[in-house]
Amino acid sequence: MTTDLKILFVCLGNICRSPLAEGVFRELVAQRGISDQIICDSAGTHSYHIGALPDPRSRRVAADYGITLTHRGRKLSSEDFAEFDYLIAMDESNFENIEALFRRSTGLQMPEDRLFLYRDFDPQADTSEVPDPYYEDIAAFEEVYQIVERCGQNFLQYLAEKHNLA
Ligand code: 4NP
C-alpha cells in the first residue's frame, strides 16, 4: 500500500532551521527507500526571506553531509493546513504561531496529532526547541544539523510505525 504523507517543517524565517530539517529528513526518507511515500517541504511564520535560498551557513553544513538545499523561502499560509498532514515546529514560538493561524483560518483547535515540536523527538534534549542559529556562528549550524538528524530519525520511526511504512 502506498501512503502519501506530507510533512511541513516550520521555523521563523525559513532560511536556517526548517530548510535544513527538510533536506535532512528527505535524505533519511530516501535512505529508507520510501521517497515515493513521503513528501517534505518547509515554510516560515514570517515573510522576511520569501524567495531566498537557505542561509549560506545552512547550505554549507548540509553540503558537508552530501545534501544540497535548493528550497526557496516562503511563508506559512492557511492553505498549508489542507495540504500537509503534519506540521513540525522548530521552537515554541513557531508552534504557537501555527496554532494561532490554524484557529484564525479554520475556527478550530489544531489537532494534537498533526502539530509537533521537533525537539520532542530528540531523546538527548533538555529543551523543547531547536535553537535559532541566525545570530550565531557556523558551530551553531552544525549543532542544528545534529539535532535535526536525531529528531528526523525518531520522527521517521514514529511515522513508519503509525502508518505501516516499509
Ligand atoms: P530560521 O532563522 O527561523 O531558522 O530561518 C532565522 C532567520 C532569519 C531571521 C531570524 C531567524 N531574521 O530575523 O531575519
Side-chain angles (χ1 to χ4, degrees), residues 99-147:
E99 279 188 323
L101 180 62
F102 189 89
R103 259 197 319 274
R104 275 203 307 280
S105 52
T106 66
L108 302 168
Q109 286 291 117
M110 182 86 207
E112 275 181 21
D113 59 354
R114 288 185 60 201
L115 173 61
F116 293 100
L117 274 165
Y118 211 20
R119 207 75 201 267
D120 284 348
F121 289 95
D122 181 358
Q124 294 182 27
D126 53 11
T127 163
S128 57
E129 306 199 308
V130 180
D132 182 351
Y134 188 61
Y135 294 106
E136 310 294 332
D137 62 13
I138 190 74
F141 283 76
E142 173 66 31
E143 193 199 347
V144 168
Y145 179 93
Q146 297 299 334
I147 291 168

Side-chain angles (χ1 to χ4, degrees), residues 11-19 44 48-49 55 90-91 94 131-135:
C11 64
L12 177 67
N14 193 212
I15 53 164
C16 298
R17 291 165 292 175
S18 61
Y48 309 130
H49 302 281
D55 186 285
M90 295 299 116
D91 65 31
N94 312 145
D132 182 351
Y134 188 61
Y135 294 106

Side-chain angles (χ1 to χ4, degrees), residues 51-115:
L53 276 170
D55 186 285
R57 296 163 295 176
S58 281
R59 283 189 278 146
R60 183 172 138 201
V61 166
D64 286 344
Y65 292 92
I67 297 170
T68 306
L69 302 182
T70 59
H71 179 78
R72 294 284 176 167
R74 73 174 183 87
K75 191 174 180 199
L76 179 70
S77 80
S78 51
E79 283 90 69
D80 288 319
F81 297 123
E83 179 75 14
F84 290 91
D85 301 293
Y86 291 97
L87 288 98
I88 306 298
M90 295 299 116
D91 65 31
E92 304 265 6
S93 151
N94 312 145
F95 188 96
E96 284 164 17
N97 284 327
I98 294 166
E99 279 188 323
L101 180 62
F102 189 89
R103 259 197 319 274
R104 275 203 307 280
S105 52
T106 66
L108 302 168
Q109 286 291 117
M110 182 86 207
E112 275 181 21
D113 59 354
R114 288 185 60 201
L115 173 61

